[in-house]
């Protein structure tokens, strides 16, 4: 595990088969709306570690920041979906400036912040394709629901791109790569940065935990939960 914690790897969390109550979903949505409504005077200061990753003021603040960044990535005005990849998106500065209106984050944190938005933006496009376009015919009963997520002009651009031969080939390659991922962490929304910080604070000498310790703790499984992948490769690595 590289000390800088590649954002994509950090997002490759083992998915637990479970459901959330409507009350919990509504509570999270209200909280994120509160963040979007903040003034610059109400911003939460974010504490970074030496790698530019958020670790405070509290784990809750870090989790809320991550969830907020997810809503930014799904804002099709700030992050329109009809661009092939993240580098080609022309709104990086707008996204960063908007985030700074809601949180106080040092420049050293920009790489992690923008990497998180990038990853969620890519996941959002993937989810749109899987949930709607791969299962619906044009003009189907849920097409209006799709337009509520993605503006029509952006959606038409996406459909045109996804129907090209290079895009279809890339999609097949991505699916194959995804199928071989069977050694993902089980921390859910908690980041490696938070786990490393917690373990370091618990150490009598305040030493950073080893990569081996991080690996083992990040893959502990709850025997009362059901996971989508086997535990064989992880156990072998341990």
């Amino acid at each position: 595990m590289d000390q800088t914690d590649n954002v994509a790897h950090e997002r490759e969390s083992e998915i637990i088969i479970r459901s959330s109550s409507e009350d919990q979903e509504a509570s999270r949505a209200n909280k994120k709306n509160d963040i979007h409504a903040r003034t610059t005077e109400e911003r939460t200061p974010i504490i970074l570690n030496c790698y530019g990753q958020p670790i405070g003021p509290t784990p809750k603040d870090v989790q809320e920041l991550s969830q907020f960044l997810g809503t930014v990535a799904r804002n099709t005005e700030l992050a329109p979906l009809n661009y092939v990849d993240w580098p080609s998106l022309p709104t990086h500065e707008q996204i960063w400036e908007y985030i700074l209106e809601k949180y106080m984050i040092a420049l050293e944190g920009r790489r992690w912040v923008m990497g998180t938005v990038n990853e969620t933006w890519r996941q959002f496009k993937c989810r749109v394709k899987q949930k709607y376009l791969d299962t619906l015919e044009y003009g189907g009963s849920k097409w209006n629901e799709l337009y509520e997520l993605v503006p029509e002009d952006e959606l038409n651009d996406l459909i045109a791109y996804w129907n090209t031969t290079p895009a279809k080939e890339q999609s097949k390659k991505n699916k194959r790569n995804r199928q071989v991922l069977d050694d993902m962490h089980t921390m859910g929304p908690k980041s490696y940065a938070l786990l490393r910080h917690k373990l370091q604070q618990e150490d009598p000498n305040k030493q950073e935990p080893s990569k081996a310790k991080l690996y083992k703790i990040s893959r502990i499984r709850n025997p009362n939960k059901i996971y989508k992948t086997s535990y064989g490769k992880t156990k072998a690595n341990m």
Side-chain angles (χ1 to χ4, degrees):
M1 183 73 60
D2 191 277
Q3 292 280 32
T4 57
D5 293 340
N6 180 274
V7 172
H9 183 83
E10 197 169 296
R11 295 294 178 189
E12 289 169 2
S13 169
E14 173 64 80
I15 299 174
I16 301 172
I17 303 175
R18 61 184 178 183
S19 61
S20 300
S21 70
E22 293 183 2
D23 289 341
Q24 289 175 324
E25 293 294 337
S27 176
R28 283 195 290 266
N30 290 336
K31 183 62 180 178
K32 284 177 281 189
N33 288 337
D34 289 344
I35 296 173
H36 283 283
R38 282 179 186 166
T39 65
T40 54
E41 291 75 18
E42 298 170 327
R43 293 180 298 169
T44 297
I46 295 299
I47 300 172
L48 305 174
N49 63 14
C50 60
Y51 307 111
Q53 301 162 318
I55 56 173
T58 68
K60 181 180 179 182
D61 290 318
V62 175
Q63 185 172 344
E64 286 178 353
L65 169 62
S66 182
Q67 292 172 347
F68 166 74
L69 296 179
T71 66
V72 171
R74 295 189 293 274
N75 182 318
T76 55
E77 292 185 7
L78 281 173
L81 298 178
N82 53 344
Y83 286 85
V84 174
D85 53 28
W86 179 254
S88 67
L89 193 70
T91 55
H92 290 194
E93 289 303 321
Q94 291 172 251
I95 291 171
W96 175 241
E97 290 299 325
Y98 181 74
I99 292 167
L100 291 182
E101 291 176 8
K102 312 303 174 183
Y103 284 93
M104 295 176 63
I105 306 174
L107 184 60
E108 290 78 4
R110 173 167 175 152
R111 180 181 178 186
W112 181 91
V113 166
M114 298 302 285
T116 300
V117 177
N118 169 21
E119 185 64 22
T120 310
W121 181 74
R122 291 174 55 250
Q123 289 175 352
F124 182 42
K125 285 207 292 186
C126 180
R127 193 158 59 249
V128 167
K129 186 173 186 293
Q130 290 178 337
K131 186 175 181 180
Y132 296 97
L133 301 186
D134 287 352
T135 58
L136 297 177
E137 294 183 1
Y138 187 82
S141 60
K142 291 189 176 181
W143 207 258
N144 289 336
E145 181 181 337
L146 181 54
Y147 280 141
E148 291 180 4
L149 290 176
V150 186
E152 185 173 357
D153 59 335
E154 292 183 26
L155 184 59
N156 290 337
D157 288 345
L158 281 173
I159 293 172
Y161 171 71
W162 282 331
N163 281 326
T164 64
T165 298
K168 289 180 179 179
E169 291 301 316
Q170 186 63 47
S171 178
K172 291 178 182 178
K173 180 180 178 180
N174 292 341
K175 287 179 181 178
R176 290 195 299 268
N177 291 340
R178 181 64 185 176
Q179 288 171 352
V180 301
L181 290 176
D182 57 357
D183 185 25
M184 296 177 285
H185 73 68
T186 57
M187 298 185 298
K190 187 174 182 179
S191 69
Y192 281 107
L194 279 178
L195 176 60
R196 184 191 298 114
H197 180 69
K198 177 178 180 291
L199 294 176
Q200 184 176 6
Q201 295 306 305
E202 292 174 349
D203 185 87
N205 299 315
K206 304 302 179 185
Q207 295 294 313
E208 280 199 1
S210 66
K211 296 178 183 179
K213 186 173 184 177
L214 273 175
Y215 180 87
K216 291 179 180 179
I217 294 179
S218 67
R219 282 156 175 76
I220 293 174
R221 292 197 174 192
N222 186 331
N224 298 319
K225 292 180 180 178
I226 301 173
Y227 298 85
K228 284 188 174 182
T229 60
S230 71
Y231 198 40
K233 184 174 181 180
T234 301
K235 292 178 70 174
N237 288 339
M238 290 182 179

